[in-house]
Amino acid sequence: GESVGLHLPTLSVQEGDNSIINCAYSNSASDYFIWYKQESGKGPQFIIDIRSNMDKRQGQRVTVLLNKTVKHLSLQIAATQPGDSAVYFCAENPILTGGGNKLTFGTGTQLKVEL
Amino acid sequence: EPEVTQTPSHQVTQMGQEVILRCVPISNHLYFYWYRQILGQKVEFLVSFYNNEISEKSEIFDDQFSVERPDGSNFTLKIRSTKLEDSAMYFCASSQDSNQPQHFGDGTRLSIL
């Protein structure tokens, strides 16, 4: 039969605009979340993390929001640049509830920055 | 900035052959991991390793797979008898502690013929 890969959702933004990438996670026991950026031919690159005792965390040009009620995570990138073009993954990890330290990755979102 | 390095970047192997993928984790990290990503699919956890033993493994990590830290710097993944479906990108990662971010290498592309 035909092998079908995942169809990545794509977000296209203009350079200089803000980007918002969303992620729904599945495990209500997850208490640690990480956003990774993956450029073509490279491994996942750590961007920012957040623990379940927080609902917002800011980094340089990036903000992560966590809504545990609806199991939703978002990554906001301010003033998006061409170098931000990549696939973005959220990953979850149920550390504190004894789930070990394996990451479960989401599907990923392709961010395309248009000049 | 310290990084995880993986070799080779691309490995081509005949089905049924053994393959060893190599990783040098970040030097002060204590936790080590292998993940794989089949083309067009999600990154999937294979195994985590701490204090010279496996701490967790997934269903994918069957008895054809093994990991080893042969010295103070290398961390290897061995597949004993490769199958076509083992073709994937294999990523090594390391973290300083179990509740710290995992940092990934750029992967080894494994192609089984």
Side-chain angles (χ1 to χ4, degrees), chain B residues 10-48:
Chain B
H10 191 188
Q11 174 77 47
V12 181
T13 300
Q14 292 288 329
M15 186 173 59
Q17 295 297 305
E18 174 183 286
V19 67
I20 297 176
L21 309 183
R22 302 181 190 278
C23 170
V24 179
I26 295 173
S27 62
N28 64 342
H29 286 190
L30 302 176
Y31 291 77
F32 314 114
Y33 316 85
W34 284 100
Y35 291 80
R36 79 171 186 192
Q37 186 177 30
I38 294 171
L39 186 63
Q41 299 190 20
K42 295 182 186 183
V43 177
E44 302 173 286
F45 170 80
L46 293 178
V47 67
S48 58

mmCIF file of all heavy atoms in Angstrom, chain B residues 10-48:
data_model
loop_
_atom_site.group_PDB
_atom_site.id
_atom_site.type_symbol
_atom_site.label_atom_id
_atom_site.label_comp_id
_atom_site.label_asym_id
_atom_site.label_seq_id
_atom_site.Cartn_x
_atom_site.Cartn_y
_atom_site.Cartn_z
ATOM 1 N N HIS B 10 25.572 10.001 7.653
ATOM 2 C CA HIS B 10 24.754 9.116 6.821
ATOM 3 C C HIS B 10 25.393 7.734 6.804
ATOM 4 O O HIS B 10 26.600 7.608 6.608
ATOM 5 C CB HIS B 10 24.648 9.681 5.389
ATOM 6 C CG HIS B 10 23.633 8.980 4.543
ATOM 7 N ND1 HIS B 10 23.510 9.226 3.191
ATOM 8 C CD2 HIS B 10 22.681 8.070 4.845
ATOM 9 C CE1 HIS B 10 22.520 8.480 2.697
ATOM 10 N NE2 HIS B 10 22.010 7.774 3.681
ATOM 11 N N GLN B 11 24.582 6.721 7.063
ATOM 12 C CA GLN B 11 25.047 5.334 7.091
ATOM 13 C C GLN B 11 24.157 4.510 6.169
ATOM 14 O O GLN B 11 22.929 4.505 6.331
ATOM 15 C CB GLN B 11 24.965 4.793 8.515
ATOM 16 C CG GLN B 11 25.282 3.323 8.676
ATOM 17 C CD GLN B 11 26.759 3.040 8.632
ATOM 18 O OE1 GLN B 11 27.556 3.711 9.289
ATOM 19 N NE2 GLN B 11 27.134 2.041 7.875
ATOM 20 N N VAL B 12 24.792 3.836 5.217
ATOM 21 C CA VAL B 12 24.056 2.954 4.320
ATOM 22 C C VAL B 12 24.483 1.521 4.628
ATOM 23 O O VAL B 12 25.688 1.212 4.648
ATOM 24 C CB VAL B 12 24.340 3.286 2.835
ATOM 25 C CG1 VAL B 12 23.530 2.368 1.927
ATOM 26 C CG2 VAL B 12 24.025 4.744 2.540
ATOM 27 N N THR B 13 23.506 0.662 4.870
ATOM 28 C CA THR B 13 23.806 -0.704 5.327
ATOM 29 C C THR B 13 22.884 -1.689 4.631
ATOM 30 O O THR B 13 21.710 -1.368 4.375
ATOM 31 C CB THR B 13 23.600 -0.788 6.855
ATOM 32 O OG1 THR B 13 24.480 0.147 7.494
ATOM 33 C CG2 THR B 13 23.894 -2.171 7.402
ATOM 34 N N GLN B 14 23.398 -2.875 4.375
ATOM 35 C CA GLN B 14 22.567 -3.943 3.816
ATOM 36 C C GLN B 14 21.672 -4.519 4.905
ATOM 37 O O GLN B 14 22.081 -4.667 6.067
ATOM 38 C CB GLN B 14 23.453 -5.060 3.259
ATOM 39 C CG GLN B 14 24.250 -4.673 2.020
ATOM 40 C CD GLN B 14 23.376 -4.542 0.799
ATOM 41 O OE1 GLN B 14 22.363 -5.235 0.665
ATOM 42 N NE2 GLN B 14 23.742 -3.656 -0.113
ATOM 43 N N MET B 15 20.450 -4.861 4.515
ATOM 44 C CA MET B 15 19.514 -5.506 5.435
ATOM 45 C C MET B 15 20.161 -6.727 6.075
ATOM 46 O O MET B 15 20.830 -7.512 5.396
ATOM 47 C CB MET B 15 18.253 -5.902 4.663
ATOM 48 C CG MET B 15 17.145 -6.453 5.502
ATOM 49 S SD MET B 15 15.644 -6.687 4.519
ATOM 50 C CE MET B 15 16.202 -7.820 3.263
ATOM 51 N N GLY B 16 19.955 -6.889 7.378
ATOM 52 C CA GLY B 16 20.524 -8.029 8.086
ATOM 53 C C GLY B 16 21.871 -7.756 8.717
ATOM 54 O O GLY B 16 22.335 -8.535 9.563
ATOM 55 N N GLN B 17 22.503 -6.658 8.317
ATOM 56 C CA GLN B 17 23.806 -6.310 8.876
ATOM 57 C C GLN B 17 23.638 -5.549 10.184
ATOM 58 O O GLN B 17 22.614 -4.917 10.452
ATOM 59 C CB GLN B 17 24.598 -5.450 7.892
ATOM 60 C CG GLN B 17 24.971 -6.181 6.614
ATOM 61 C CD GLN B 17 25.887 -7.349 6.864
ATOM 62 O OE1 GLN B 17 26.949 -7.208 7.459
ATOM 63 N NE2 GLN B 17 25.475 -8.532 6.433
ATOM 64 N N GLU B 18 24.687 -5.575 10.978
ATOM 65 C CA GLU B 18 24.718 -4.820 12.227
ATOM 66 C C GLU B 18 25.178 -3.392 11.926
ATOM 67 O O GLU B 18 25.987 -3.162 11.027
ATOM 68 C CB GLU B 18 25.701 -5.486 13.187
ATOM 69 C CG GLU B 18 25.936 -4.730 14.483
ATOM 70 C CD GLU B 18 26.982 -5.408 15.344
ATOM 71 O OE1 GLU B 18 26.674 -6.459 15.941
ATOM 72 O OE2 GLU B 18 28.114 -4.879 15.417
ATOM 73 N N VAL B 19 24.654 -2.452 12.690
ATOM 74 C CA VAL B 19 25.094 -1.067 12.529
ATOM 75 C C VAL B 19 25.262 -0.448 13.909
ATOM 76 O O VAL B 19 24.522 -0.773 14.847
ATOM 77 C CB VAL B 19 24.093 -0.268 11.661
ATOM 78 C CG1 VAL B 19 22.758 -0.100 12.355
ATOM 79 C CG2 VAL B 19 24.659 1.070 11.261
ATOM 80 N N ILE B 20 26.258 0.394 14.047
ATOM 81 C CA ILE B 20 26.486 1.126 15.293
ATOM 82 C C ILE B 20 26.483 2.614 14.992
ATOM 83 O O ILE B 20 27.249 3.087 14.142
ATOM 84 C CB ILE B 20 27.819 0.723 15.952
ATOM 85 C CG1 ILE B 20 27.799 -0.754 16.352
ATOM 86 C CG2 ILE B 20 28.083 1.583 17.200
ATOM 87 C CD1 ILE B 20 29.102 -1.269 16.924
ATOM 88 N N LEU B 21 25.618 3.324 15.675
ATOM 89 C CA LEU B 21 25.543 4.769 15.540
ATOM 90 C C LEU B 21 26.193 5.386 16.769
ATOM 91 O O LEU B 21 25.971 4.933 17.895
ATOM 92 C CB LEU B 21 24.083 5.228 15.425
ATOM 93 C CG LEU B 21 23.244 4.514 14.377
ATOM 94 C CD1 LEU B 21 21.840 5.108 14.318
ATOM 95 C CD2 LEU B 21 23.895 4.545 13.014
ATOM 96 N N ARG B 22 26.981 6.419 16.540
ATOM 97 C CA ARG B 22 27.788 6.970 17.618
ATOM 98 C C ARG B 22 27.389 8.394 17.963
ATOM 99 O O ARG B 22 26.993 9.176 17.104
ATOM 100 C CB ARG B 22 29.264 6.931 17.236
ATOM 101 C CG ARG B 22 29.746 5.540 16.917
ATOM 102 C CD ARG B 22 31.203 5.445 16.550
ATOM 103 N NE ARG B 22 31.491 4.099 16.022
ATOM 104 C CZ ARG B 22 31.717 3.042 16.779
ATOM 105 N NH1 ARG B 22 31.722 3.148 18.095
ATOM 106 N NH2 ARG B 22 31.964 1.866 16.233
ATOM 107 N N CYS B 23 27.548 8.711 19.226
ATOM 108 C CA CYS B 23 27.157 10.015 19.759
ATOM 109 C C CYS B 23 28.160 10.431 20.827
ATOM 110 O O CYS B 23 28.615 9.594 21.615
ATOM 111 C CB CYS B 23 25.746 9.898 20.347
ATOM 112 S SG CYS B 23 25.189 11.318 21.300
ATOM 113 N N VAL B 24 28.472 11.715 20.837
ATOM 114 C CA VAL B 24 29.220 12.287 21.954
ATOM 115 C C VAL B 24 28.308 13.313 22.608
ATOM 116 O O VAL B 24 28.064 14.381 22.051
ATOM 117 C CB VAL B 24 30.538 12.946 21.506
ATOM 118 C CG1 VAL B 24 31.259 13.555 22.710
ATOM 119 C CG2 VAL B 24 31.433 11.930 20.813
ATOM 120 N N PRO B 25 27.741 12.978 23.770
ATOM 121 C CA PRO B 25 26.851 13.922 24.458
ATOM 122 C C PRO B 25 27.631 15.129 24.992
ATOM 123 O O PRO B 25 28.861 15.139 24.998
ATOM 124 C CB PRO B 25 26.280 13.087 25.614
ATOM 125 C CG PRO B 25 26.568 11.661 25.270
ATOM 126 C CD PRO B 25 27.822 11.690 24.458
ATOM 127 N N ILE B 26 26.892 16.123 25.447
ATOM 128 C CA ILE B 26 27.513 17.288 26.079
ATOM 129 C C ILE B 26 28.207 16.831 27.365
ATOM 130 O O ILE B 26 27.654 16.029 28.130
ATOM 131 C CB ILE B 26 26.456 18.371 26.343
ATOM 132 C CG1 ILE B 26 25.926 18.880 24.998
ATOM 133 C CG2 ILE B 26 27.020 19.517 27.176
ATOM 134 C CD1 ILE B 26 24.753 19.829 25.089
ATOM 135 N N SER B 27 29.394 17.356 27.608
ATOM 136 C CA SER B 27 30.311 16.728 28.563
ATOM 137 C C SER B 27 29.815 16.662 30.011
ATOM 138 O O SER B 27 30.105 15.705 30.709
ATOM 139 C CB SER B 27 31.671 17.420 28.525
ATOM 140 O OG SER B 27 31.543 18.769 28.904
ATOM 141 N N ASN B 28 29.076 17.630 30.484
ATOM 142 C CA ASN B 28 28.642 17.573 31.884
ATOM 143 C C ASN B 28 27.225 17.020 32.035
ATOM 144 O O ASN B 28 26.615 17.130 33.101
ATOM 145 C CB ASN B 28 28.761 18.950 32.538
ATOM 146 C CG ASN B 28 27.829 19.965 31.897
ATOM 147 O OD1 ASN B 28 27.339 19.757 30.782
ATOM 148 N ND2 ASN B 28 27.576 21.053 32.590
ATOM 149 N N HIS B 29 26.695 16.429 30.972
ATOM 150 C CA HIS B 29 25.352 15.853 31.016
ATOM 151 C C HIS B 29 25.401 14.426 31.514
ATOM 152 O O HIS B 29 26.365 13.688 31.271
ATOM 153 C CB HIS B 29 24.698 15.917 29.634
ATOM 154 C CG HIS B 29 24.255 17.294 29.268
ATOM 155 N ND1 HIS B 29 23.468 17.542 28.158
ATOM 156 C CD2 HIS B 29 24.455 18.498 29.857
ATOM 157 C CE1 HIS B 29 23.223 18.841 28.094
ATOM 158 N NE2 HIS B 29 23.817 19.437 29.108
ATOM 159 N N LEU B 30 24.347 14.041 32.228
ATOM 160 C CA LEU B 30 24.313 12.731 32.867
ATOM 161 C C LEU B 30 23.264 11.800 32.272
ATOM 162 O O LEU B 30 23.291 10.601 32.545
ATOM 163 C CB LEU B 30 24.039 12.893 34.370
ATOM 164 C CG LEU B 30 25.045 13.747 35.138
ATOM 165 C CD1 LEU B 30 24.604 13.897 36.586
ATOM 166 C CD2 LEU B 30 26.451 13.131 35.076
ATOM 167 N N TYR B 31 22.327 12.357 31.513
ATOM 168 C CA TYR B 31 21.236 11.579 30.944
ATOM 169 C C TYR B 31 21.389 11.570 29.431
ATOM 170 O O TYR B 31 21.632 12.611 28.827
ATOM 171 C CB TYR B 31 19.879 12.169 31.332
ATOM 172 C CG TYR B 31 19.553 12.012 32.793
ATOM 173 C CD1 TYR B 31 20.144 12.833 33.742
ATOM 174 C CD2 TYR B 31 18.668 11.024 33.221
ATOM 175 C CE1 TYR B 31 19.866 12.684 35.090
ATOM 176 C CE2 TYR B 31 18.377 10.870 34.568
ATOM 177 C CZ TYR B 31 18.985 11.696 35.496
ATOM 178 O OH TYR B 31 18.712 11.538 36.828
ATOM 179 N N PHE B 32 21.179 10.402 28.837
ATOM 180 C CA PHE B 32 21.399 10.256 27.402
ATOM 181 C C PHE B 32 20.196 9.546 26.792
ATOM 182 O O PHE B 32 19.558 8.708 27.448
ATOM 183 C CB PHE B 32 22.686 9.456 27.139
ATOM 184 C CG PHE B 32 23.844 9.918 27.981
ATOM 185 C CD1 PHE B 32 24.385 9.099 28.949
ATOM 186 C CD2 PHE B 32 24.365 11.194 27.827
ATOM 187 C CE1 PHE B 32 25.439 9.523 29.747
ATOM 188 C CE2 PHE B 32 25.419 11.633 28.617
ATOM 189 C CZ PHE B 32 25.955 10.792 29.582
ATOM 190 N N TYR B 33 19.924 9.895 25.537
ATOM 191 C CA TYR B 33 18.708 9.409 24.887
ATOM 192 C C TYR B 33 18.970 9.111 23.416
ATOM 193 O O TYR B 33 19.828 9.732 22.792
ATOM 194 C CB TYR B 33 17.598 10.472 24.948
ATOM 195 C CG TYR B 33 17.444 11.152 26.283
ATOM 196 C CD1 TYR B 33 18.228 12.257 26.619
ATOM 197 C CD2 TYR B 33 16.510 10.696 27.210
ATOM 198 C CE1 TYR B 33 18.097 12.885 27.853
ATOM 199 C CE2 TYR B 33 16.370 11.322 28.444
ATOM 200 C CZ TYR B 33 17.168 12.420 28.756
ATOM 201 O OH TYR B 33 17.032 13.040 29.974
ATOM 202 N N TRP B 34 18.160 8.196 22.890
ATOM 203 C CA TRP B 34 18.066 8.019 21.445
ATOM 204 C C TRP B 34 16.616 8.175 21.025
ATOM 205 O O TRP B 34 15.707 7.654 21.693
ATOM 206 C CB TRP B 34 18.587 6.654 21.003
ATOM 207 C CG TRP B 34 20.081 6.546 21.001
ATOM 208 C CD1 TRP B 34 20.868 5.967 21.950
ATOM 209 C CD2 TRP B 34 20.984 7.018 19.992
ATOM 210 N NE1 TRP B 34 22.198 6.064 21.608
ATOM 211 C CE2 TRP B 34 22.294 6.704 20.402
ATOM 212 C CE3 TRP B 34 20.810 7.683 18.769
ATOM 213 C CZ2 TRP B 34 23.420 7.015 19.649
ATOM 214 C CZ3 TRP B 34 21.927 8.001 18.011
ATOM 215 C CH2 TRP B 34 23.221 7.666 18.450
ATOM 216 N N TYR B 35 16.423 8.885 19.912
ATOM 217 C CA TYR B 35 15.125 9.050 19.278
ATOM 218 C C TYR B 35 15.300 8.718 17.801
ATOM 219 O O TYR B 35 16.416 8.734 17.288
ATOM 220 C CB TYR B 35 14.640 10.501 19.394
ATOM 221 C CG TYR B 35 14.268 10.952 20.780
ATOM 222 C CD1 TYR B 35 15.252 11.331 21.700
ATOM 223 C CD2 TYR B 35 12.937 11.015 21.184
ATOM 224 C CE1 TYR B 35 14.908 11.751 22.978
ATOM 225 C CE2 TYR B 35 12.580 11.443 22.453
ATOM 226 C CZ TYR B 35 13.583 11.803 23.341
ATOM 227 O OH TYR B 35 13.238 12.215 24.608
ATOM 228 N N ARG B 36 14.197 8.450 17.149
ATOM 229 C CA ARG B 36 14.287 8.300 15.700
ATOM 230 C C ARG B 36 13.139 9.055 15.037
ATOM 231 O O ARG B 36 12.107 9.326 15.651
ATOM 232 C CB ARG B 36 14.255 6.832 15.278
ATOM 233 C CG ARG B 36 12.889 6.211 15.269
ATOM 234 C CD ARG B 36 12.885 4.850 14.648
ATOM 235 N NE ARG B 36 11.508 4.353 14.550
ATOM 236 C CZ ARG B 36 11.190 3.113 14.261
ATOM 237 N NH1 ARG B 36 12.153 2.211 14.020
ATOM 238 N NH2 ARG B 36 9.940 2.738 14.181
ATOM 239 N N GLN B 37 13.341 9.392 13.768
ATOM 240 C CA GLN B 37 12.328 10.096 12.995
ATOM 241 C C GLN B 37 12.294 9.475 11.601
ATOM 242 O O GLN B 37 13.211 9.682 10.792
ATOM 243 C CB GLN B 37 12.645 11.589 12.924
ATOM 244 C CG GLN B 37 11.566 12.420 12.266
ATOM 245 C CD GLN B 37 11.905 13.908 12.282
ATOM 246 O OE1 GLN B 37 13.066 14.303 12.253
ATOM 247 N NE2 GLN B 37 10.884 14.749 12.342
ATOM 248 N N ILE B 38 11.263 8.694 11.365
ATOM 249 C CA ILE B 38 11.050 8.171 10.023
ATOM 250 C C ILE B 38 10.616 9.332 9.136
ATOM 251 O O ILE B 38 9.910 10.234 9.587
ATOM 252 C CB ILE B 38 10.002 7.047 10.051
ATOM 253 C CG1 ILE B 38 10.559 5.846 10.843
ATOM 254 C CG2 ILE B 38 9.612 6.621 8.647
ATOM 255 C CD1 ILE B 38 9.547 4.761 11.116
ATOM 256 N N LEU B 39 11.046 9.305 7.885
ATOM 257 C CA LEU B 39 10.795 10.422 6.966
ATOM 258 C C LEU B 39 9.327 10.835 6.960
ATOM 259 O O LEU B 39 8.442 10.008 6.731
ATOM 260 C CB LEU B 39 11.239 10.021 5.556
ATOM 261 C CG LEU B 39 11.171 11.119 4.492
ATOM 262 C CD1 LEU B 39 12.116 12.259 4.847
ATOM 263 C CD2 LEU B 39 11.482 10.561 3.116
ATOM 264 N N GLY B 40 9.103 12.101 7.262
ATOM 265 C CA GLY B 40 7.748 12.643 7.219
ATOM 266 C C GLY B 40 6.913 12.352 8.451
ATOM 267 O O GLY B 40 5.734 12.674 8.481
ATOM 268 N N GLN B 41 7.529 11.742 9.474
ATOM 269 C CA GLN B 41 6.765 11.392 10.670
ATOM 270 C C GLN B 41 7.322 12.100 11.903
ATOM 271 O O GLN B 41 8.269 12.864 11.830
ATOM 272 C CB GLN B 41 6.760 9.875 10.852
ATOM 273 C CG GLN B 41 6.103 9.138 9.688
ATOM 274 C CD GLN B 41 5.873 7.682 9.954
ATOM 275 O OE1 GLN B 41 5.846 7.232 11.094
ATOM 276 N NE2 GLN B 41 5.700 6.917 8.888
ATOM 277 N N LYS B 42 6.688 11.836 13.030
ATOM 278 C CA LYS B 42 7.083 12.472 14.283
ATOM 279 C C LYS B 42 8.412 11.932 14.784
ATOM 280 O O LYS B 42 8.819 10.820 14.450
ATOM 281 C CB LYS B 42 6.059 12.179 15.376
ATOM 282 C CG LYS B 42 4.685 12.750 15.182
ATOM 283 C CD LYS B 42 3.832 12.385 16.396
ATOM 284 C CE LYS B 42 2.413 12.794 16.219
ATOM 285 N NZ LYS B 42 1.608 12.512 17.425
ATOM 286 N N VAL B 43 9.044 12.694 15.638
ATOM 287 C CA VAL B 43 10.198 12.198 16.382
ATOM 288 C C VAL B 43 9.682 11.251 17.463
ATOM 289 O O VAL B 43 8.760 11.592 18.213
ATOM 290 C CB VAL B 43 10.973 13.370 17.024
ATOM 291 C CG1 VAL B 43 12.126 12.855 17.859
ATOM 292 C CG2 VAL B 43 11.474 14.339 15.948
ATOM 293 N N GLU B 44 10.275 10.044 17.538
ATOM 294 C CA GLU B 44 9.799 9.022 18.477
ATOM 295 C C GLU B 44 10.904 8.639 19.452
ATOM 296 O O GLU B 44 12.045 8.407 19.051
ATOM 297 C CB GLU B 44 9.404 7.751 17.726
ATOM 298 C CG GLU B 44 8.341 7.905 16.678
ATOM 299 C CD GLU B 44 8.163 6.608 15.900
ATOM 300 O OE1 GLU B 44 9.037 6.280 15.072
ATOM 301 O OE2 GLU B 44 7.156 5.912 16.143
ATOM 302 N N PHE B 45 10.542 8.507 20.705
ATOM 303 C CA PHE B 45 11.481 8.101 21.746
ATOM 304 C C PHE B 45 11.853 6.628 21.582
ATOM 305 O O PHE B 45 10.999 5.775 21.310
ATOM 306 C CB PHE B 45 10.821 8.322 23.103
ATOM 307 C CG PHE B 45 11.567 7.741 24.275
ATOM 308 C CD1 PHE B 45 12.644 8.395 24.819
ATOM 309 C CD2 PHE B 45 11.164 6.537 24.831
ATOM 310 C CE1 PHE B 45 13.326 7.867 25.908
ATOM 311 C CE2 PHE B 45 11.831 5.998 25.916
ATOM 312 C CZ PHE B 45 12.910 6.657 26.457
ATOM 313 N N LEU B 46 13.125 6.338 21.744
ATOM 314 C CA LEU B 46 13.580 4.945 21.749
ATOM 315 C C LEU B 46 14.002 4.508 23.150
ATOM 316 O O LEU B 46 13.493 3.515 23.671
ATOM 317 C CB LEU B 46 14.783 4.767 20.813
ATOM 318 C CG LEU B 46 14.536 4.935 19.322
ATOM 319 C CD1 LEU B 46 15.832 4.769 18.553
ATOM 320 C CD2 LEU B 46 13.513 3.927 18.821
ATOM 321 N N VAL B 47 14.939 5.255 23.757
ATOM 322 C CA VAL B 47 15.532 4.780 25.002
ATOM 323 C C VAL B 47 16.170 5.942 25.758
ATOM 324 O O VAL B 47 16.620 6.922 25.161
ATOM 325 C CB VAL B 47 16.579 3.685 24.680
ATOM 326 C CG1 VAL B 47 17.765 4.272 23.921
ATOM 327 C CG2 VAL B 47 17.044 2.946 25.918
ATOM 328 N N SER B 48 16.167 5.828 27.080
ATOM 329 C CA SER B 48 16.916 6.761 27.910
ATOM 330 C C SER B 48 17.904 5.970 28.762
ATOM 331 O O SER B 48 17.659 4.797 29.095
ATOM 332 C CB SER B 48 16.000 7.612 28.781
ATOM 333 O OG SER B 48 15.204 6.794 29.612
#
